[in-house]
Amino acid sequence: MPHAPLLRFTDVVPLRTEVAGWRRAGARVVLVPTMGALHAGHLALMARARALGQRVVASVFVNPTQFGPHEDFSRYPRDTETDLALLAEAGVDAAYLPEVSGMYPEHFSTRIEVEGLTEGLCGAFRPGHFSGVATVVTKLLNRVQPDLALFGEKDFQQLLVIRRAVRDLDLPVEIQGVPTLRETDGLALSSRNRYLDADERARAPRLHAVLSRIAEGLAAGGNAVPLLAEGHAALTAAGFGPVQYLEVRDAETLAPLERATRPARVLAAAYLGRTRLIDNVPVG
Ligand code: PAF
Protein backbone atom coordinates (compact mmCIF):
# COMPACT_ATOMS: atom_id res chain seq x y z
CA MET A 1 0.00 0.00 0.00
CA PRO A 2 1.48 3.41 -0.89
CA HIS A 3 2.42 5.59 2.08
CA ALA A 4 1.22 9.15 2.57
CA PRO A 5 3.89 11.59 1.35
CA LEU A 6 6.67 12.42 3.79
CA LEU A 7 5.98 15.65 5.67
CA ARG A 8 8.99 17.87 6.20
CA PHE A 9 9.42 20.33 9.08
CA THR A 10 12.14 22.81 9.96
CA ASP A 11 10.19 24.81 12.53
CA VAL A 12 8.99 23.35 15.77
CA VAL A 13 5.52 24.96 15.97
CA PRO A 14 3.96 23.29 12.89
CA LEU A 15 5.66 20.01 13.82
CA ARG A 16 4.14 20.10 17.29
CA THR A 17 0.71 20.95 15.88
CA GLU A 18 0.89 17.94 13.55
CA VAL A 19 2.08 15.57 16.30
CA ALA A 20 -0.57 16.87 18.72
CA GLY A 21 -3.24 16.08 16.08
CA TRP A 22 -1.93 12.55 15.69
CA ARG A 23 -1.94 12.00 19.41
CA ARG A 24 -5.48 13.37 19.78
CA ALA A 25 -6.52 10.84 17.15
CA GLY A 26 -5.07 8.10 19.38
CA ALA A 27 -1.84 7.38 17.46
CA ARG A 28 1.29 6.24 19.27
CA VAL A 29 4.07 8.51 18.00
CA VAL A 30 7.63 7.18 17.68
CA LEU A 31 10.71 9.39 17.24
CA VAL A 32 13.94 8.17 15.68
CA PRO A 33 16.66 10.81 16.19
CA THR A 34 19.48 10.66 13.63
CA MET A 35 22.34 12.75 12.31
CA GLY A 36 21.46 11.78 8.72
CA ALA A 37 23.82 9.97 6.30
CA LEU A 38 21.25 7.23 6.67
CA HIS A 39 22.19 3.59 6.13
CA ALA A 40 20.47 0.24 6.54
CA GLY A 41 20.97 0.41 10.33
CA HIS A 42 18.85 3.57 10.47
CA LEU A 43 16.28 1.97 8.18
CA ALA A 44 16.01 -0.94 10.62
CA LEU A 45 15.22 1.64 13.32
CA MET A 46 12.52 3.15 11.08
CA ALA A 47 11.02 -0.30 10.42
CA ARG A 48 10.96 -1.01 14.16
CA ALA A 49 9.37 2.40 14.76
CA ARG A 50 6.63 1.60 12.25
CA ALA A 51 6.01 -1.73 13.94
CA LEU A 52 5.74 -0.11 17.38
CA GLY A 53 3.62 2.96 16.59
CA GLN A 54 1.14 4.44 14.18
CA ARG A 55 3.15 7.58 13.38
CA VAL A 56 6.90 7.93 12.94
CA VAL A 57 9.01 11.09 13.05
CA ALA A 58 12.69 10.95 12.11
CA SER A 59 14.89 13.90 13.01
CA VAL A 60 17.98 14.67 10.97
CA PHE A 61 20.34 17.05 12.75
CA VAL A 62 24.14 17.00 12.83
CA ASN A 63 24.46 18.31 16.35
CA PRO A 64 27.52 20.55 16.68
CA THR A 65 27.62 20.42 20.48
CA GLN A 66 28.45 16.70 20.61
CA PHE A 67 31.60 17.03 18.50
CA GLY A 68 34.94 18.03 20.03
CA PRO A 69 37.02 20.83 18.43
CA HIS A 70 39.25 18.31 16.61
CA GLU A 71 36.51 15.87 15.64
CA ASP A 72 34.75 15.35 12.32
CA PHE A 73 31.84 17.84 12.58
CA SER A 74 32.75 19.70 9.39
CA ARG A 75 33.44 16.56 7.36
CA TYR A 76 30.57 14.51 8.82
CA PRO A 77 28.63 13.22 5.75
CA ARG A 78 25.53 15.26 4.90
CA ASP A 79 23.14 14.28 2.11
CA THR A 80 19.68 15.60 2.94
CA GLU A 81 17.97 14.78 -0.35
CA THR A 82 19.04 11.11 -0.23
CA ASP A 83 18.06 10.95 3.45
CA LEU A 84 14.59 12.32 2.67
CA ALA A 85 14.11 9.84 -0.18
CA LEU A 86 15.10 6.96 2.14
CA LEU A 87 12.76 8.17 4.88
CA ALA A 88 9.88 8.45 2.39
CA GLU A 89 10.59 4.93 1.15
CA ALA A 90 10.74 3.63 4.73
CA GLY A 91 7.20 4.89 5.34
CA VAL A 92 8.21 7.56 7.85
CA ASP A 93 5.45 10.16 8.33
CA ALA A 94 7.53 13.24 9.07
CA ALA A 95 11.14 14.36 8.81
CA TYR A 96 12.23 17.02 11.26
CA LEU A 97 15.27 18.98 10.07
CA PRO A 98 15.91 21.76 12.56
CA GLU A 99 18.51 24.42 11.89
CA VAL A 100 21.47 24.98 14.20
CA SER A 101 20.38 28.58 14.84
CA GLY A 102 16.92 27.38 15.86
CA MET A 103 18.23 24.69 18.17
CA TYR A 104 20.87 26.90 19.75
CA PRO A 105 19.71 30.52 19.63
CA GLU A 106 21.96 33.31 20.79
CA HIS A 107 22.75 33.10 24.53
CA PHE A 108 21.87 29.41 24.68
CA SER A 109 23.32 28.47 28.06
CA THR A 110 21.88 25.20 29.38
CA ARG A 111 23.52 21.79 29.19
CA ILE A 112 22.56 18.46 30.66
CA GLU A 113 25.32 16.53 32.42
CA VAL A 114 24.75 12.87 33.26
CA GLU A 115 27.31 11.95 35.89
CA GLY A 116 28.93 8.56 36.45
CA LEU A 117 27.76 6.74 33.32
CA THR A 118 29.62 9.24 31.12
CA GLU A 119 32.96 9.06 32.90
CA GLY A 120 34.62 6.09 31.18
CA LEU A 121 34.64 4.52 27.71
CA CYS A 122 33.80 7.15 25.04
CA GLY A 123 33.27 9.77 27.75
CA ALA A 124 36.95 9.59 28.69
CA PHE A 125 38.06 10.31 25.12
CA ARG A 126 35.33 12.72 24.00
CA PRO A 127 34.99 15.38 26.70
CA GLY A 128 31.62 17.13 26.46
CA HIS A 129 30.26 14.61 23.95
CA PHE A 130 27.60 13.04 26.15
CA SER A 131 26.52 16.35 27.57
CA GLY A 132 25.98 17.48 23.95
CA VAL A 133 24.02 14.30 23.21
CA ALA A 134 21.91 14.46 26.40
CA THR A 135 21.12 18.12 25.77
CA VAL A 136 20.12 17.73 22.12
CA VAL A 137 18.12 14.56 22.73
CA THR A 138 16.24 16.22 25.59
CA LYS A 139 15.46 19.14 23.28
CA LEU A 140 14.33 16.81 20.49
CA LEU A 141 12.09 14.88 22.89
CA ASN A 142 10.60 18.13 24.19
CA ARG A 143 10.09 19.44 20.70
CA VAL A 144 8.57 16.36 19.10
CA GLN A 145 6.83 15.00 22.23
CA PRO A 146 6.76 11.36 21.09
CA ASP A 147 5.45 8.44 23.14
CA LEU A 148 8.52 6.36 22.33
CA ALA A 149 12.03 7.08 21.01
CA LEU A 150 14.40 4.51 19.49
CA PHE A 151 18.21 4.45 19.59
CA GLY A 152 20.69 1.95 18.15
CA GLU A 153 22.62 -0.25 20.58
CA LYS A 154 25.77 0.42 18.58
CA ASP A 155 26.16 3.58 20.70
CA PHE A 156 25.55 1.57 23.84
CA GLN A 157 26.88 4.11 26.32
CA GLN A 158 24.79 6.81 24.61
CA LEU A 159 21.66 4.65 24.99
CA LEU A 160 22.26 4.24 28.74
CA VAL A 161 23.02 7.95 29.17
CA ILE A 162 19.78 8.92 27.39
CA ARG A 163 17.75 6.42 29.45
CA ARG A 164 19.20 7.86 32.63
CA ALA A 165 18.59 11.51 31.64
CA VAL A 166 14.99 10.71 30.67
CA ARG A 167 14.40 8.94 33.96
CA ASP A 168 16.12 11.58 36.09
CA LEU A 169 14.32 14.48 34.40
CA ASP A 170 10.88 12.77 34.36
CA LEU A 171 10.50 13.12 30.61
CA PRO A 172 7.24 11.37 29.67
CA VAL A 173 8.67 9.13 26.97
CA GLU A 174 9.76 5.51 26.69
CA ILE A 175 13.28 4.81 25.40
CA GLN A 176 14.06 1.58 23.57
CA GLY A 177 17.35 0.26 22.21
CA VAL A 178 17.51 -1.62 18.90
CA PRO A 179 20.23 -4.26 18.25
CA THR A 180 23.08 -3.29 15.94
CA LEU A 181 22.77 -4.14 12.27
CA ARG A 182 25.92 -5.64 10.76
CA GLU A 183 27.41 -6.28 7.34
CA THR A 184 27.67 -9.99 6.51
CA ASP A 185 31.32 -9.92 7.66
CA GLY A 186 30.31 -8.56 11.07
CA LEU A 187 31.18 -4.87 10.68
CA ALA A 188 28.62 -2.73 12.51
CA LEU A 189 26.82 -0.34 10.15
CA SER A 190 27.89 3.25 10.76
CA SER A 191 27.80 6.50 8.79
CA ARG A 192 31.54 6.73 9.48
CA ASN A 193 32.29 3.46 7.61
CA ARG A 194 32.31 5.55 4.43
CA TYR A 195 35.58 7.13 5.64
CA LEU A 196 37.35 3.73 5.34
CA ASP A 197 39.50 3.00 2.29
CA ALA A 198 39.41 -0.48 0.72
CA ASP A 199 42.25 -1.86 2.82
CA GLU A 200 40.78 -0.49 6.07
CA ARG A 201 37.34 -1.78 5.13
CA ALA A 202 38.83 -5.26 4.71
CA ARG A 203 40.39 -5.11 8.20
CA ALA A 204 37.47 -3.43 9.98
CA PRO A 205 35.42 -6.60 10.74
CA ARG A 206 38.23 -7.78 13.06
CA LEU A 207 36.82 -5.40 15.67
CA HIS A 208 33.58 -7.34 15.89
CA ALA A 209 35.45 -10.68 15.71
CA VAL A 210 37.63 -9.68 18.68
CA LEU A 211 34.66 -8.49 20.74
CA SER A 212 32.77 -11.71 19.97
CA ARG A 213 35.75 -13.85 20.96
CA ILE A 214 35.99 -12.05 24.31
CA ALA A 215 32.22 -12.36 24.87
CA GLU A 216 32.41 -16.11 24.16
CA GLY A 217 35.33 -16.51 26.57
CA LEU A 218 33.41 -14.68 29.30
CA ALA A 219 30.24 -16.67 28.65
CA ALA A 220 32.32 -19.84 29.10
CA GLY A 221 33.33 -18.58 32.57
CA GLY A 222 36.62 -16.94 31.56
CA ASN A 223 38.35 -14.00 33.25
CA ALA A 224 38.33 -10.66 31.41
CA VAL A 225 42.00 -9.79 32.05
CA PRO A 226 43.66 -12.39 29.77
CA LEU A 227 40.81 -12.24 27.26
CA LEU A 228 41.21 -8.46 26.92
CA ALA A 229 45.00 -8.73 26.62
CA GLU A 230 44.59 -11.25 23.82
CA GLY A 231 41.97 -8.99 22.19
CA HIS A 232 44.28 -5.95 22.33
CA ALA A 233 47.05 -7.93 20.65
CA ALA A 234 44.66 -9.16 17.93
CA LEU A 235 43.46 -5.62 17.19
CA THR A 236 46.99 -4.27 16.98
CA ALA A 237 47.98 -7.15 14.68
CA ALA A 238 45.00 -6.27 12.44
CA GLY A 239 46.29 -2.69 12.07
CA PHE A 240 44.07 -0.91 14.63
CA GLY A 241 45.68 1.79 16.69
CA PRO A 242 45.39 3.49 18.99
CA VAL A 243 42.90 1.25 20.73
CA GLN A 244 41.20 3.78 22.97
CA TYR A 245 39.45 1.20 25.09
CA LEU A 246 38.54 -2.46 25.10
CA GLU A 247 36.55 -3.29 28.19
CA VAL A 248 34.03 -5.52 29.86
CA ARG A 249 31.30 -3.62 31.65
CA ASP A 250 28.07 -4.25 33.52
CA ALA A 251 25.32 -3.85 30.88
CA GLU A 252 23.20 -1.66 33.17
CA THR A 253 25.59 0.42 35.24
CA LEU A 254 28.71 0.25 33.04
CA ALA A 255 30.76 -0.69 36.12
CA PRO A 256 33.90 -2.68 35.15
CA LEU A 257 33.54 -6.47 35.43
CA GLU A 258 36.16 -9.17 35.58
CA ARG A 259 33.72 -12.01 35.07
CA ALA A 260 30.26 -12.12 33.52
CA THR A 261 28.45 -12.80 36.77
CA ARG A 262 25.85 -10.19 35.74
CA PRO A 263 24.51 -9.12 32.31
CA ALA A 264 27.67 -7.81 30.65
CA ARG A 265 28.78 -6.03 27.52
CA VAL A 266 32.17 -5.97 25.77
CA LEU A 267 32.86 -2.53 24.30
CA ALA A 268 35.65 -1.01 22.22
CA ALA A 269 36.75 2.12 20.42
CA ALA A 270 39.76 1.99 18.13
CA TYR A 271 41.21 3.92 15.25
CA LEU A 272 41.72 2.33 11.87
CA GLY A 273 43.76 4.91 10.00
CA ARG A 274 41.99 8.24 10.60
CA THR A 275 38.64 6.63 11.34
CA ARG A 276 37.46 6.00 14.86
CA LEU A 277 35.30 2.87 15.05
CA ILE A 278 33.21 1.83 18.02
CA ASP A 279 31.34 -1.40 18.62
CA ASN A 280 29.99 -3.56 21.43
CA VAL A 281 28.44 -6.98 21.92
CA PRO A 282 26.41 -8.58 24.72
CA VAL A 283 27.86 -11.51 26.66
CA GLY A 284 25.76 -14.64 26.38
O1 PAF B 1 23.39 8.63 17.59
C1 PAF B 1 23.23 9.69 16.97
O2 PAF B 1 23.06 9.71 15.75
C2 PAF B 1 23.25 11.00 17.72
O3 PAF B 1 24.15 10.96 18.78
C3 PAF B 1 21.86 11.47 18.19
C4 PAF B 1 21.25 10.48 19.18
C5 PAF B 1 20.94 11.62 17.00
C6 PAF B 1 21.97 12.83 18.90
O4 PAF B 1 22.50 13.81 18.08
Side-chain angles (χ1 to χ4, degrees):
M1 204 175 63
H3 305 297
L6 176 72
L7 301 170
R8 178 179 173 160
F9 297 94
T10 308
D11 297 330
V12 66
V13 174
L15 169 71
R16 269 208 181 139
T17 307
E18 188 72 36
V19 172
W22 293 342
R23 292 182 71 165
R24 267 198 310 278
R28 180 166 156 85
V29 179
V30 187
L31 171 66
V32 184
T34 82
M35 296 207 301
L38 301 179
H39 50 64
H42 293 111
L43 300 181
L45 290 173
M46 305 304 160
R48 183 110 187 95
R50 275 178 55 82
L52 293 173
Q54 287 74 46
R55 295 288 188 174
V56 178
V57 181
S59 61
V60 176
F61 181 63
V62 185
N63 173 38
T65 68
Q66 70 187 75
F67 289 81
H70 305 294
E71 293 185 355
D72 56 348
F73 175 67
S74 55
R75 74 179 182 120
Y76 195 84
R78 291 164 173 87
D79 188 352
T80 307
E81 290 316 311
T82 306
D83 287 345
L84 289 171
L86 289 170
L87 292 177
E89 211 173 299
V92 167
D93 296 283
Y96 177 39
L97 303 111
E99 280 163 0
V100 174
S101 57
M103 275 301 225
Y104 301 112
E106 208 189 344
H107 306 306
F108 185 88
S109 27
T110 305
R111 280 180 81 101
I112 292 174
E113 291 287 349
V114 178
E115 292 171 0
L117 279 178
T118 58
E119 273 155 28
L121 307 172
C122 286
F125 294 92
R126 304 188 69 188
H129 169 68
F130 285 119
S131 143
V133 168
T135 304
V136 80
V137 170
T138 302
K139 284 174 67 69
L140 289 167
L141 294 173
N142 280 332
R143 285 179 165 216
V144 180
Q145 306 197 341
D147 299 287
L148 167 69
L150 301 184
F151 297 86
E153 284 186 353
K154 173 163 172 284
D155 297 291
F156 193 75
Q157 189 176 17
Q158 165 175 284
L159 172 62
L160 296 194
V161 167
I162 291 166
R163 271 216 180 102
R164 183 69 60 83
V166 163
R167 191 209 63 177
D168 288 356
L169 297 173
D170 307 308
L171 301 184
V173 62
E174 182 189 338
I175 302 297
Q176 271 194 33
V178 177
T180 305
L181 208 69
R182 300 182 179 280
E183 303 282 5
T184 46
D185 60 12
L187 177 65
L189 295 194
S190 162
S191 305
R192 290 183 169 105
N193 290 351
R194 57 184 88 181
Y195 298 154
L196 300 169
D197 67 24
D199 175 57
E200 290 162 352
R201 175 63 190 81
R203 294 162 186 264
R206 285 301 296 158
L207 183 57
H208 176 245
V210 164
L211 293 174
S212 303
R213 162 83 198 91
I214 295 169
E216 281 159 22
L218 288 163
N223 182 301
V225 177
L227 287 166
L228 291 172
E230 199 183 291
H232 258 280
L235 286 177
T236 308
F240 284 85
V243 177
Q244 288 190 326
Y245 62 81
L246 176 60
E247 298 198 31
V248 182
R249 296 288 185 108
D250 182 302
E252 276 162 30
T253 64
L254 294 184
L257 287 180
E258 210 163 284
R259 288 185 192 274
T261 46
R262 300 181 34 76
R265 205 96 193 170
V266 191
L267 308 100
Y271 275 88
L272 193 52
R274 286 177 66 202
T275 305
R276 181 176 181 275
L277 297 178
I278 65 170
D279 200 354
N280 67 86
V281 298
V283 175

